[in-house]
Amino acid sequence: MLGLGSAEETVYRTILENPSYGVAELSVKLGWPVHRIRSTLDELARLSLLRPSWEEPDVLRLVSPEVGLAALLAREEAALLARQQEIERSRTTVAQMIATYADRNPAQPSEDSETLVGIDTIRARIEELVAGCRHELLGFEPQGAQTPDNIEASRPLDEALLDRGAALRIVYLDSVRNDQSTTRYAFWLTGRGGRVRTAPSLPLRMIVFDRQAALVPMNPEDSGAGAVLLRGAGVVAALVALFERTWEAATPLGGEPRRDEKGLSSQEREILRLLSLGLTDEVVARRLDVSVRTLRRATADLMERLGARSRFQAGYLAAARGWLPEHP
């Protein structure tokens, strides 16, 4: 909870229920040695959940949960926002690297790359790679709601992967929460042992097999143009790092997206970021997999909250209030 270890949480809950307990009473209550109680109390003091008494400096007193826990929550939210900003800084660079790599290696199979053209070719290669995947499969699905054909093609592969004990982690767009078929399939995955999260937008479609090979589109803006299977250790490591950063900031399936200290949801932050880049409503809506009407309704709500009469004024006010991510 909020970065607390299990020992710290246990002691903290015990003190909440028994504010008068000292070290000896806590030791008896929990059955722990005194030295463990003292070290745990020291950690709680470091987290500002306990503080020295004004009357007895050697005695630690409970900080009001409204103050102590609120401070921890704010710290966690700040760390989450920082991770999200790191993701934003990574997206464009990684997409450019992949596009450059694909442009310089067109249709030339090698030890480090393999170009795949055509849906049948790509799906056949995915089946082979999944069959050989033994430890972990990571994936981005930036196309929003999955078609029935895609779901039926994926189900037996995912089932076989999970049945042999491999880990499966997938990040979908937030928009799939509004699609019953995709949501039903995502919950089916979690029921079989997979893990699913959602994010407001994703940089590209991607599947990573055992952290040794990665399948990405030749053109991140057009996944239908073909795919490239990359095996270079450096490129795959960079894509895994991008996945882990995105995963940390994404929302677990079934959980409600959290708002930051400014009251913005992850999707609202992404709308502001994309609009600040000068993208049109149509492009932003496509990135988020929402309708243009939905996007404009969300934009109008942000303008109202900012008290802006125009988009230009909204951009100025959003920047002034720190609502826009910093650009390197």
Side-chain angles (χ1 to χ4, degrees):
M1 181 182 68
L2 302 179
L4 288 176
S6 59
E8 287 76 18
E9 182 175 350
T10 298
V11 171
Y12 184 69
R13 288 183 181 276
T14 303
I15 296 175
L16 281 177
E17 297 169 0
N18 307 276
S20 63
Y21 275 16
V23 174
E25 292 86 352
L26 289 169
S27 178
V28 172
K29 175 73 173 178
L30 299 176
W32 294 2
V34 169
H35 70 84
R36 185 181 181 188
I37 296 293
R38 292 189 184 279
S39 64
T40 306
L41 292 175
D42 288 342
E43 179 62 16
L44 289 172
R46 188 188 68 80
L47 293 170
S48 300
L49 295 177
L50 299 176
R51 62 169 176 79
S53 167
W54 294 105
E55 299 174 351
E56 303 174 79
D58 294 334
V59 177
L60 293 175
R61 298 296 185 191
L62 184 71
V63 174
S64 167
E66 289 86 350
V67 175
L69 293 180
L72 281 185
L73 179 60
R75 189 183 309 168
E76 288 292 305
E77 289 177 336
L80 176 62
L81 179 60
R83 289 195 297 270
Q84 289 171 333
Q85 290 177 342
E86 288 179 1
I87 293 169
E88 306 309 335
R89 297 187 184 106
S90 303
R91 283 180 172 166
T92 301
T93 301
V94 170
Q96 290 173 345
M97 289 173 62
I98 293 170
T100 299
Y101 190 92
D103 288 342
R104 293 181 179 179
N105 295 270
Q108 295 180 1
S110 69
E111 293 183 358
D112 290 340
S113 70
E114 177 184 347
T115 302
L116 307 172
V117 179
I119 298 298
D120 290 338
T121 301
I122 294 172
R123 284 190 172 178
R125 198 71 179 94
I126 289 175
E127 291 175 359
E128 296 172 3
L129 291 163
V130 172
C133 186
R134 290 290 176 267
H135 306 292
E136 181 184 51
L137 186 145
L138 313 173
F140 285 157
E141 288 289 352
Q143 294 178 317
Q146 303 296 294
T147 66
D149 286 345
N150 281 342
I151 290 175
E152 290 311 306
S154 299
R155 189 185 299 274
L157 300 179
D158 292 335
E159 188 171 24
L161 182 80
L162 293 169
D163 283 347
R164 60 175 174 266
L168 173 66
R169 287 189 286 161
I170 302 293
V171 183
Y172 289 102
L173 291 179
D174 286 342
S175 63
V176 305
R177 294 170 180 264
N178 300 318
D179 182 76
Q180 292 185 354
S181 297
T182 307
T183 302
R184 191 181 306 115
Y185 182 68
F187 276 113
W188 175 82
L189 283 176
T190 60
R192 296 301 299 266
R195 299 172 65 192
V196 177
R197 295 187 178 184
T198 67
S201 71
L202 293 168
L204 76 168
R205 191 173 186 184
M206 177 179 75
I207 310 175
V208 181
F209 307 90
D210 284 337
R211 304 198 175 208
Q212 296 179 353
L215 189 67
V216 298
M218 293 175 62
N219 180 355
E221 298 297 329
D222 180 13
S223 59
V228 182
L229 181 63
L230 304 173
R231 297 185 183 277
V235 175
V236 174
L239 292 173
V240 170
L242 175 63
F243 177 89
E244 294 294 356
R245 287 186 176 185
T246 305
W247 178 264
E248 288 180 6
T251 302
L253 184 69
E256 288 296 325
R258 293 198 306 175
R259 293 182 177 271
D260 62 19
E261 70 279 3
K262 300 177 179 65
L264 297 172
S265 68
S266 58
Q267 187 175 74
E268 288 170 338
R269 287 194 300 272
E270 185 67 359
I271 288 173
L272 288 170
R273 185 186 75 85
L274 294 175
L275 290 177
S276 73
L277 297 177
L279 302 181
T280 65
D281 286 354
E282 289 73 15
V283 173
V284 175
R286 187 166 63 250
R287 292 275 186 92
L288 303 180
D289 188 45
V290 299
S291 67
V292 174
R293 181 178 180 182
T294 297
L295 172 69
R296 288 173 177 167
R297 186 164 58 244
T299 304
D301 178 66
L302 289 168
M303 290 176 61
E304 182 178 353
R305 286 157 61 184
L306 286 164
R309 292 191 294 268
S310 67
R311 287 198 174 192
F312 178 82
Q313 185 183 23
Y316 172 80
L317 292 174
R321 296 183 189 182
W323 285 21
L324 293 174
E326 296 179 3
H327 292 287

